[in-house]
Amino acid sequence: MVHVCPPGKDMELKVLRKRHDSAAPSSPPAALAAADSTTTTTTTTPEPKEEKKVTPDVEELTITLRPRSVGHLVRPNLQTSEFHEKPKYCVFGGLVFSTLTHPLLAEWGDQWYNTAPRWLVEQLSGNCTADRDEVVVVVQVMPHPVNQSYESMYARIVTQVDGVDVRNFAHFRSLVKQHRDRFTSVGSSSSSSLAAGDDAKRSMDEQGDFANLILQTRAQGDLTKVAVLPIEAAIAADRELEHVYQIPPQRWD
């Protein structure tokens, strides 16, 4: 019931509690506080609107709350409170990336809490922070020579792109786009730049390995795996895979 209540709207809760002879408490009952810690928080301290005696030992309180969403890393539905929204995804080098949600975990069946990878399930206890507010996951690996030997990347969490910590899906996509754009603008003239002298070579070294996209992923605990995808080959592979799998061409602008 809390989940279907739109954020910003009032919701009435009826609470049965042991009757006290003193006045009603100003803080919410313990059962309400327990529910509040997992699903909602309140903007103000709830005040009882009505109090009536049900039995000699039990009283009923009607409390008005205004719930708001808690910033959990794993979304309860898709990306927002709207169930009709399509999930966000991105394809690069045949690897398909998306965000970790409850529907994604449900892909492991009704017993997903026990059958889904533990490193994904453990994210349920995480909350959004200034450094990370979404979990980016490799949700599929489309076989292609460019991603050969990376089949085990499936269901792994993407933690870094070229040494930069991933904050959310939009940040991840912007990092990939940045390296794609840098390669397309620099890669065509890389040979002449390297021949220009040590200054040009030093400048490229400071920018990093512009010919490859380096992804760091994590599974159980601190078990990390790095994927090195040649950008030019990955771009060509994606065009080929879009045709084979009938995927709409991606827009990177």
Side-chain angles (χ1 to χ4, degrees), residues 8-29:
K9 299 292 184 180
D10 291 340
M11 177 179 63
E12 288 191 351
L13 297 179
K14 289 186 178 180
V15 182
L16 298 180
R17 64 190 297 272
K18 183 177 179 180
R19 182 166 181 80
H20 290 269
D21 294 332
S22 58
S26 59
S27 59

mmCIF file of all heavy atoms in Angstrom, residues 8-29:
data_model
loop_
_atom_site.group_PDB
_atom_site.id
_atom_site.type_symbol
_atom_site.label_atom_id
_atom_site.label_comp_id
_atom_site.label_asym_id
_atom_site.label_seq_id
_atom_site.Cartn_x
_atom_site.Cartn_y
_atom_site.Cartn_z
ATOM 1 N N GLY A 8 4.380 12.443 -2.223
ATOM 2 C CA GLY A 8 3.783 13.764 -2.057
ATOM 3 C C GLY A 8 2.315 13.731 -1.701
ATOM 4 O O GLY A 8 1.729 14.780 -1.407
ATOM 5 N N LYS A 9 1.687 12.554 -1.737
ATOM 6 C CA LYS A 9 0.276 12.426 -1.387
ATOM 7 C C LYS A 9 0.138 11.895 0.035
ATOM 8 O O LYS A 9 0.947 11.090 0.505
ATOM 9 C CB LYS A 9 -0.434 11.477 -2.359
ATOM 10 C CG LYS A 9 -0.400 11.942 -3.817
ATOM 11 C CD LYS A 9 -1.234 13.193 -4.003
ATOM 12 C CE LYS A 9 -1.288 13.592 -5.475
ATOM 13 N NZ LYS A 9 -2.098 14.803 -5.691
ATOM 14 N N ASP A 10 -0.903 12.355 0.723
ATOM 15 C CA ASP A 10 -1.146 11.892 2.086
ATOM 16 C C ASP A 10 -1.735 10.486 2.075
ATOM 17 O O ASP A 10 -2.476 10.109 1.164
ATOM 18 C CB ASP A 10 -2.106 12.834 2.812
ATOM 19 C CG ASP A 10 -1.462 14.190 3.083
ATOM 20 O OD1 ASP A 10 -0.221 14.252 3.069
ATOM 21 O OD2 ASP A 10 -2.198 15.168 3.294
ATOM 22 N N MET A 11 -1.401 9.724 3.092
ATOM 23 C CA MET A 11 -1.918 8.367 3.234
ATOM 24 C C MET A 11 -2.302 8.160 4.682
ATOM 25 O O MET A 11 -1.556 8.546 5.593
ATOM 26 C CB MET A 11 -0.847 7.352 2.816
ATOM 27 C CG MET A 11 -1.278 5.908 2.991
ATOM 28 S SD MET A 11 0.004 4.752 2.444
ATOM 29 C CE MET A 11 1.304 5.172 3.589
ATOM 30 N N GLU A 12 -3.479 7.606 4.914
ATOM 31 C CA GLU A 12 -3.952 7.352 6.269
ATOM 32 C C GLU A 12 -3.661 5.916 6.672
ATOM 33 O O GLU A 12 -3.927 4.980 5.921
ATOM 34 C CB GLU A 12 -5.453 7.637 6.385
ATOM 35 C CG GLU A 12 -5.789 9.115 6.341
ATOM 36 C CD GLU A 12 -7.226 9.383 6.722
ATOM 37 O OE1 GLU A 12 -7.995 8.392 6.847
ATOM 38 O OE2 GLU A 12 -7.589 10.554 6.895
ATOM 39 N N LEU A 13 -3.122 5.752 7.862
ATOM 40 C CA LEU A 13 -2.848 4.437 8.423
ATOM 41 C C LEU A 13 -3.633 4.289 9.717
ATOM 42 O O LEU A 13 -3.664 5.205 10.538
ATOM 43 C CB LEU A 13 -1.354 4.257 8.719
ATOM 44 C CG LEU A 13 -0.385 4.309 7.553
ATOM 45 C CD1 LEU A 13 1.043 4.134 8.061
ATOM 46 C CD2 LEU A 13 -0.715 3.230 6.545
ATOM 47 N N LYS A 14 -4.261 3.145 9.876
ATOM 48 C CA LYS A 14 -4.927 2.829 11.133
ATOM 49 C C LYS A 14 -4.044 1.866 11.904
ATOM 50 O O LYS A 14 -3.656 0.821 11.396
ATOM 51 C CB LYS A 14 -6.302 2.223 10.879
ATOM 52 C CG LYS A 14 -7.319 3.228 10.344
ATOM 53 C CD LYS A 14 -8.701 2.615 10.235
ATOM 54 C CE LYS A 14 -9.685 3.679 9.752
ATOM 55 N NZ LYS A 14 -11.066 3.127 9.629
ATOM 56 N N VAL A 15 -3.734 2.234 13.130
ATOM 57 C CA VAL A 15 -2.802 1.473 13.953
ATOM 58 C C VAL A 15 -3.522 0.995 15.204
ATOM 59 O O VAL A 15 -4.156 1.792 15.902
ATOM 60 C CB VAL A 15 -1.578 2.332 14.343
ATOM 61 C CG1 VAL A 15 -0.604 1.509 15.168
ATOM 62 C CG2 VAL A 15 -0.908 2.895 13.102
ATOM 63 N N LEU A 16 -3.440 -0.300 15.457
ATOM 64 C CA LEU A 16 -3.955 -0.863 16.706
ATOM 65 C C LEU A 16 -2.786 -1.019 17.660
ATOM 66 O O LEU A 16 -1.759 -1.582 17.310
ATOM 67 C CB LEU A 16 -4.613 -2.222 16.446
ATOM 68 C CG LEU A 16 -5.829 -2.225 15.515
ATOM 69 C CD1 LEU A 16 -6.365 -3.638 15.351
ATOM 70 C CD2 LEU A 16 -6.913 -1.297 16.032
ATOM 71 N N ARG A 17 -2.963 -0.510 18.861
ATOM 72 C CA ARG A 17 -1.875 -0.566 19.827
ATOM 73 C C ARG A 17 -2.429 -0.790 21.231
ATOM 74 O O ARG A 17 -3.633 -0.581 21.481
ATOM 75 C CB ARG A 17 -1.059 0.736 19.788
ATOM 76 C CG ARG A 17 -1.851 1.961 20.216
ATOM 77 C CD ARG A 17 -1.098 3.249 19.923
ATOM 78 N NE ARG A 17 0.139 3.337 20.655
ATOM 79 C CZ ARG A 17 0.247 3.843 21.880
ATOM 80 N NH1 ARG A 17 -0.830 4.281 22.509
ATOM 81 N NH2 ARG A 17 1.404 3.906 22.468
ATOM 82 N N LYS A 18 -1.561 -1.211 22.108
ATOM 83 C CA LYS A 18 -1.970 -1.402 23.494
ATOM 84 C C LYS A 18 -2.352 -0.061 24.094
ATOM 85 O O LYS A 18 -1.656 0.938 23.918
ATOM 86 C CB LYS A 18 -0.822 -2.034 24.287
ATOM 87 C CG LYS A 18 -1.174 -2.341 25.728
ATOM 88 C CD LYS A 18 -0.017 -3.038 26.433
ATOM 89 C CE LYS A 18 -0.375 -3.325 27.879
ATOM 90 N NZ LYS A 18 0.744 -4.006 28.597
ATOM 91 N N ARG A 19 -3.442 -0.055 24.779
ATOM 92 C CA ARG A 19 -3.951 1.207 25.294
ATOM 93 C C ARG A 19 -3.129 1.687 26.480
ATOM 94 O O ARG A 19 -2.716 0.915 27.336
ATOM 95 C CB ARG A 19 -5.419 1.042 25.709
ATOM 96 C CG ARG A 19 -6.039 2.340 26.206
ATOM 97 C CD ARG A 19 -7.549 2.247 26.296
ATOM 98 N NE ARG A 19 -8.093 3.497 26.740
ATOM 99 C CZ ARG A 19 -8.283 4.557 25.956
ATOM 100 N NH1 ARG A 19 -7.977 4.469 24.666
ATOM 101 N NH2 ARG A 19 -8.777 5.673 26.427
ATOM 102 N N HIS A 20 -2.880 3.008 26.493
ATOM 103 C CA HIS A 20 -2.194 3.657 27.607
ATOM 104 C C HIS A 20 -3.163 4.609 28.281
ATOM 105 O O HIS A 20 -4.011 5.217 27.624
ATOM 106 C CB HIS A 20 -0.968 4.420 27.119
ATOM 107 C CG HIS A 20 0.144 3.531 26.648
ATOM 108 N ND1 HIS A 20 1.143 3.076 27.474
ATOM 109 C CD2 HIS A 20 0.397 2.985 25.428
ATOM 110 C CE1 HIS A 20 1.970 2.305 26.782
ATOM 111 N NE2 HIS A 20 1.531 2.236 25.537
ATOM 112 N N ASP A 21 -2.998 4.764 29.569
ATOM 113 C CA ASP A 21 -3.852 5.692 30.288
ATOM 114 C C ASP A 21 -3.460 7.133 30.016
ATOM 115 O O ASP A 21 -4.281 8.042 30.093
ATOM 116 C CB ASP A 21 -3.779 5.416 31.793
ATOM 117 C CG ASP A 21 -4.381 4.056 32.118
ATOM 118 O OD1 ASP A 21 -5.270 3.619 31.352
ATOM 119 O OD2 ASP A 21 -3.941 3.455 33.104
ATOM 120 N N SER A 22 -2.165 7.348 29.688
ATOM 121 C CA SER A 22 -1.694 8.702 29.430
ATOM 122 C C SER A 22 -2.105 9.143 28.041
ATOM 123 O O SER A 22 -2.680 8.393 27.257
ATOM 124 C CB SER A 22 -0.177 8.770 29.580
ATOM 125 O OG SER A 22 0.426 7.855 28.691
ATOM 126 N N ALA A 23 -1.759 10.382 27.702
ATOM 127 C CA ALA A 23 -2.098 10.928 26.383
ATOM 128 C C ALA A 23 -1.342 10.188 25.301
ATOM 129 O O ALA A 23 -0.318 9.552 25.541
ATOM 130 C CB ALA A 23 -1.772 12.418 26.338
ATOM 131 N N ALA A 24 -1.856 10.307 24.073
ATOM 132 C CA ALA A 24 -1.219 9.626 22.941
ATOM 133 C C ALA A 24 0.201 10.134 22.751
ATOM 134 O O ALA A 24 0.469 11.334 22.899
ATOM 135 C CB ALA A 24 -2.032 9.859 21.675
ATOM 136 N N PRO A 25 1.149 9.274 22.427
ATOM 137 C CA PRO A 25 2.542 9.702 22.232
ATOM 138 C C PRO A 25 2.688 10.553 20.985
ATOM 139 O O PRO A 25 1.930 10.441 20.038
ATOM 140 C CB PRO A 25 3.304 8.386 22.084
ATOM 141 C CG PRO A 25 2.285 7.430 21.553
ATOM 142 C CD PRO A 25 0.980 7.845 22.174
ATOM 143 N N SER A 26 3.715 11.419 21.006
ATOM 144 C CA SER A 26 3.954 12.296 19.853
ATOM 145 C C SER A 26 4.754 11.610 18.771
ATOM 146 O O SER A 26 4.827 12.078 17.647
ATOM 147 C CB SER A 26 4.698 13.560 20.301
ATOM 148 O OG SER A 26 5.927 13.208 20.904
ATOM 149 N N SER A 27 5.406 10.476 19.098
ATOM 150 C CA SER A 27 6.197 9.762 18.103
ATOM 151 C C SER A 27 5.393 8.594 17.563
ATOM 152 O O SER A 27 4.495 8.082 18.233
ATOM 153 C CB SER A 27 7.504 9.256 18.719
ATOM 154 O OG SER A 27 7.206 8.404 19.804
ATOM 155 N N PRO A 28 5.689 8.132 16.334
ATOM 156 C CA PRO A 28 4.929 7.026 15.754
ATOM 157 C C PRO A 28 5.169 5.736 16.505
ATOM 158 O O PRO A 28 6.215 5.544 17.106
ATOM 159 C CB PRO A 28 5.474 6.946 14.327
ATOM 160 C CG PRO A 28 6.810 7.570 14.392
ATOM 161 C CD PRO A 28 6.718 8.631 15.440
ATOM 162 N N PRO A 29 4.189 4.821 16.497
ATOM 163 C CA PRO A 29 4.362 3.524 17.153
ATOM 164 C C PRO A 29 5.538 2.757 16.576
ATOM 165 O O PRO A 29 5.983 3.021 15.471
ATOM 166 C CB PRO A 29 3.040 2.800 16.870
ATOM 167 C CG PRO A 29 2.070 3.881 16.541
ATOM 168 C CD PRO A 29 2.871 4.986 15.916
#
